[in-house]
């Protein structure tokens, strides 16, 4: 009797999954799920959001002063006490608007990958945890948005809505497919593109046909689900993420690999949220007033600690349960991590602490901030201060470099264990190269010349 390569692969996978319950990481998954479900802080987070009143929280810092927009810049040194408080509050809002977008990504891709793990058998508890995380993220996002809305209206007026400090100026990166000549209409092009993506993915994962995500399977031939904000917004085009959606939902290895990408978001969040956590504990120890947003950060970190544990165990241990990745899966996995390094970690902001992109992406938001009622600057004055804050060396750059080095150490420790990655990804070489104040200033100068020319 002939045995096909697909049959052999499926038998290998069955043998691996049958041993899952004997492995330490299966026990860790079960413990994580039980602890997360038992300690769930989403009700507290939701209540803090619904009851948030800016005026009741406006006279306190929502974190250390150094976690403030434009901290360490010449402008910050000149700012009044009320303006410094506002910059601290707007930093919290900007970071959590970015976090809300990232958690929207999580909600989608938890479902996509869970749909693969469901097909495997033996991973029921893992799927329960991912489903529970998706439930939690809805409450997190709602609270971030409520606090952000009320704060921005109070400080900047309704005209500020939609102008997040993390909104990109540049258009999303365009893939090669996007640059091809389009068919007669956008609708027909989209349909053609998606059918092409489906065909390529089906061909490249033909040995894993039995594990195609149940979530995607149930959607049939509807449009491929994707996201445009969060990691997606700074990493690749909309069409590229449609392609990734299909791949993350087409094989056990790729479903597990998604969590190495998610780990970048988890670790980036922890880099600043852990400081909010410590500030909460210090105020609690002194029996001082704790602002509602700081309470949200505290409880959010407690929830997210379980999510981070899941990202860690899936990306570093669970993937080993499956057959070794194909050459195609290795290539795509490395491209994903490389693009995340390039889009999210390849620079230094002089105006946003714990943000590792140059300020090219934020100049419009800074300009709107300076010309808002908070500072009331003329266009000429705003341009003057932007140049001083973004194109000259100051304390803010050095502070961010310290955060950068701390996160780089943690990233290398994590990714150094993934044997399928290229050295440039295991060693986070793009991120390391981005830790240069001189390069950040030079790129800011180049972008500033264009920006100032367009504004003045």
């Amino acid at each position: 009797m002939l045995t096909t390569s697909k049959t052999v692969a499926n038998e290998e996978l069955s043998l691996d999954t049958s041993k899952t319950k004997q492995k330490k990481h299966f026990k860790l998954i079960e413990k994580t799920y039980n602890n997360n479900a038992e300690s769930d802080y989403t009700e507290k987070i939701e209540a803090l959001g619904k009851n948030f009143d800016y005026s009741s929280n406006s006279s306190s810092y929502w974190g250390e002063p150094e976690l403030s927009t434009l901290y360490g810049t010449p402008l910050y040194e000149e700012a009044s006490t009320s303006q410094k408080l506002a910059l601290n509050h707007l930093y919290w809002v900007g970071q959590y608007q970015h976090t809300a977008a990232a958690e929207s990504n999580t909600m989608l891709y938890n479902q996509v990958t869970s749909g693969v793990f469901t097909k495997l058998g033996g991973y029921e508890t893992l799927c329960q945890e991912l489903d529970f995380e998706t439930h939690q993220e809805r409450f997190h996002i709602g609270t971030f948005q409520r606090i952000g809305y009320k704060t921005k209206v109070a400080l900047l007026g309704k005209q500020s809505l939609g102008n997040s400090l993390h909104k990109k100026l540049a258009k999303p990166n365009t893939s090669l497919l996007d640059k091809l000549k389009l068919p007669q209409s956008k609708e027909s092009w989209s349909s053609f593109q998606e059918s092409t993506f489906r065909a390529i993915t089906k061909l490249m994962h033909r040995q894993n046909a039995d594990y195609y995500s149940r979530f995607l399977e149930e959607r049939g031939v509807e449009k491929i689900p994707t996201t445009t904000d969060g990691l997606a917004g700074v990493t690749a085009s909309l069409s590229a993420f449609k392609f990734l959606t299909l791949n993350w939902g087409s094989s056990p290895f790729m479903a597990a690999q998604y969590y190495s990408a998610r780990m970048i978001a988890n670790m980036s969040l922890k880099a600043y949220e852990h400081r909010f956590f410590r500030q909460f504990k210090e105020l609690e120890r002194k029996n001082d007033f704790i602002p509602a947003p700081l309470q949200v950060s505290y409880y959010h970190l407690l929830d997210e600690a379980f999510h981070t544990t899941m990202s860690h165990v899936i990306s570093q241990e669970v993937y080993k349960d499956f057959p070794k990745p194909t050459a195609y899966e290795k290539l795509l996995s490395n491209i994903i991590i490389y693009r995340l390094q390039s889009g999210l970690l390849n620079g230094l902001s002089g105006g946003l602490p714990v943000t590792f992109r140059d300020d090219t992406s934020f100049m419009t938001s800074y300009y709107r901030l300076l010309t808002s009622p908070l500072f009331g600057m003329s266009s000429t004055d705003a341009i003057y201060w932007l140049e001083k804050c973004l194109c000259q060396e100051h304390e803010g750059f050095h502070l961010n470099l310290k955060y950068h080095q701390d996160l780089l150490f943690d990233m290398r420790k994590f990714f150094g264990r993934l044997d399928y990655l290229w050295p440039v990804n295991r060693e986070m070489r793009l991120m390391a190269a981005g830790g240069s104040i001189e390069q950040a200033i030079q790129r800011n100068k180049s972008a500033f010349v264009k920006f100032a020319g367009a504004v003045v």
Side-chain angles (χ1 to χ4, degrees):
M1 180 177 178
L2 295 177
T3 303
T4 66
S5 58
K6 177 180 175 182
T7 301
V8 171
N10 287 348
E11 288 177 351
E12 290 178 356
L13 194 53
S14 296
L15 287 173
D16 283 337
T17 55
S18 68
K19 299 176 182 178
T20 300
K21 293 186 179 181
Q22 303 171 20
K23 298 179 179 179
K24 290 182 179 179
H25 60 259
F26 188 88
K27 295 178 181 178
L28 177 57
I29 290 169
E30 185 172 19
K31 181 180 179 181
T32 300
Y33 171 63
N34 290 335
N35 289 345
N36 192 15
E38 183 178 342
S39 68
D40 184 24
Y41 293 100
T42 49
E43 288 187 8
K44 289 187 177 181
I45 291 172
E46 182 185 30
L48 286 164
K50 287 183 175 179
N51 298 324
F52 176 72
D53 172 63
Y54 181 73
S55 62
S56 301
N57 295 271
S58 61
S59 59
S60 301
Y61 280 91
W62 297 355
E64 301 164 274
E66 68 179 40
L67 292 182
S68 300
T69 301
L70 298 173
Y71 181 84
T73 67
L75 177 69
Y76 188 86
E77 298 305 315
E78 297 287 334
S80 66
T81 300
S82 61
Q83 288 171 333
K84 287 179 178 178
L85 276 169
L87 291 173
N88 182 260
H89 301 166
L90 290 171
Y91 177 80
W92 191 98
V93 168
Q95 290 289 37
Y96 281 100
Q97 285 187 332
H98 180 68
T99 299
E103 294 192 345
S104 293
N105 292 181
T106 297
M107 290 176 65
L108 170 61
Y109 292 114
N110 275 9
Q111 295 176 86
V112 170
T113 56
S114 178
V116 175
F117 297 132
T118 297
K119 292 284 193 73
L120 288 168
Y123 291 88
E124 291 80 9
T125 306
L126 184 152
C127 294
Q128 285 179 301
E129 167 61 19
L130 296 180
D131 291 344
F132 188 60
E133 289 179 9
T134 300
H135 163 77
Q136 290 177 307
E137 302 294 26
R138 290 190 176 92
F139 292 93
H140 297 170
I141 291 169
T143 291
F144 299 155
Q145 290 176 338
R146 288 187 188 98
I147 293 177
Y149 174 86
K150 291 180 179 180
T151 301
K152 289 173 72 175
V153 169
L155 291 174
L156 306 175
K158 288 191 175 181
Q159 67 271 20
S160 69
L161 299 179
N163 299 329
S164 166
L165 292 178
H166 283 271
K167 184 176 180 180
K168 289 200 70 176
L169 293 182
K171 294 180 180 179
N173 297 311
T174 305
S175 69
L176 291 176
L177 286 173
D178 292 329
K179 296 177 182 178
L180 296 175
K181 185 177 180 181
L182 300 181
Q184 293 180 350
S185 70
K186 288 184 178 180
E187 185 176 346
S188 61
W189 163 247
S190 179
S191 177
F192 168 77
Q193 188 183 64
E194 293 197 7
S195 63
T196 301
F197 288 162
R198 292 182 189 279
I200 293 173
T201 306
K202 186 176 181 179
L203 175 65
M204 300 310 295
H205 295 289
R206 56 191 179 280
Q207 75 276 17
N208 292 304
D210 292 340
Y211 307 108
Y212 183 66
S213 173
R214 183 168 294 173
F215 174 78
L216 295 177
E217 195 173 65
E218 290 172 352
R219 295 179 68 93
V221 293
E222 292 181 31
K223 288 187 176 296
I224 301 170
T226 190
T227 55
T228 57
D229 295 319
L231 298 182
V234 297
T235 305
S237 66
L238 175 64
S239 60
F241 260 82
K242 287 184 177 182
F243 186 61
L244 293 181
T245 297
L246 291 177
N247 279 276
W248 281 325
S250 290
S251 82
F253 173 80
M254 288 304 301
Q257 188 278 326
Y258 160 72
Y259 291 87
S260 65
R262 195 178 90 162
M263 192 66 176
I264 291 180
N266 295 145
M267 294 172 75
S268 297
L269 169 65
K270 185 180 177 182
Y272 59 85
E273 193 168 53
H274 185 64
R275 299 186 75 89
F276 290 137
F277 179 92
R278 291 193 326 196
Q279 182 77 357
F280 175 100
K281 298 298 287 185
E282 179 65 16
L283 293 175
E284 183 181 51
R285 184 183 66 81
K286 294 178 179 179
N287 200 28
D288 287 345
F289 172 73
I290 304 176
L294 194 57
Q295 294 184 54
V296 169
S297 296
Y298 174 80
Y299 293 119
H300 183 251
L301 181 62
L302 294 178
D303 274 352
E304 284 295 318
F306 298 111
H307 303 193
T308 301
T309 297
M310 289 303 296
S311 292
H312 194 283
V313 70
I314 295 173
S315 59
Q316 294 218 342
E317 302 299 337
V318 171
Y319 88 92
K320 296 175 185 176
D321 293 347
F322 314 134
K324 290 187 178 298
T326 63
Y328 169 78
E329 289 175 326
K330 283 185 179 180
L331 174 63
L332 187 57
S333 298
N334 275 282
I335 290 173
I336 290 167
I337 302 303
Y338 188 92
R339 287 296 307 161
L340 283 168
Q341 280 197 76
S342 178
L344 195 66
L345 302 169
N346 191 26
L348 284 176
S349 169
L352 292 174
V354 206
T355 301
F356 308 121
R357 286 182 277 157
D358 298 330
D359 292 294
T360 302
S361 301
F362 312 120
M363 285 189 185
T364 293
S365 294
Y366 292 143
Y367 177 81
R368 287 171 175 157
L369 173 63
L370 297 183
T371 56
S372 74
L374 181 62
F375 285 95
M377 291 187 187
S378 66
S379 178
T380 301
D381 287 343
I383 291 297
Y384 167 81
W385 280 106
L386 276 180
E387 194 277 334
K388 287 180 70 68
C389 292
L390 306 181
C391 304
Q392 299 178 24
E393 189 171 343
H394 54 69
E395 182 187 351
F397 279 113
H398 288 277
L399 175 65
N400 221 7
L401 181 59
K402 178 183 179 298
Y403 286 124
H404 177 278
Q405 295 303 309
D406 290 343
L407 183 59
L408 175 62
F409 176 84
D410 292 338
M411 290 281 188
R412 282 175 162 169
K413 184 177 179 180
F414 174 81
F415 285 99
R417 294 183 58 193
L418 300 183
D419 56 11
Y420 59 85
L421 291 181
W422 301 329
V424 68
N425 289 324
R426 286 201 306 272
E427 299 167 12
M428 302 303 285
R429 292 178 184 175
L430 290 187
M431 181 181 181
S436 166
I437 293 174
E438 181 180 356
Q439 288 183 18
I441 290 175
Q442 288 305 314
R443 279 184 261 192
N444 281 355
K445 284 181 177 179
S446 177
F448 175 78
V449 169
K450 297 177 182 177
F451 181 80
V455 171
V456 177

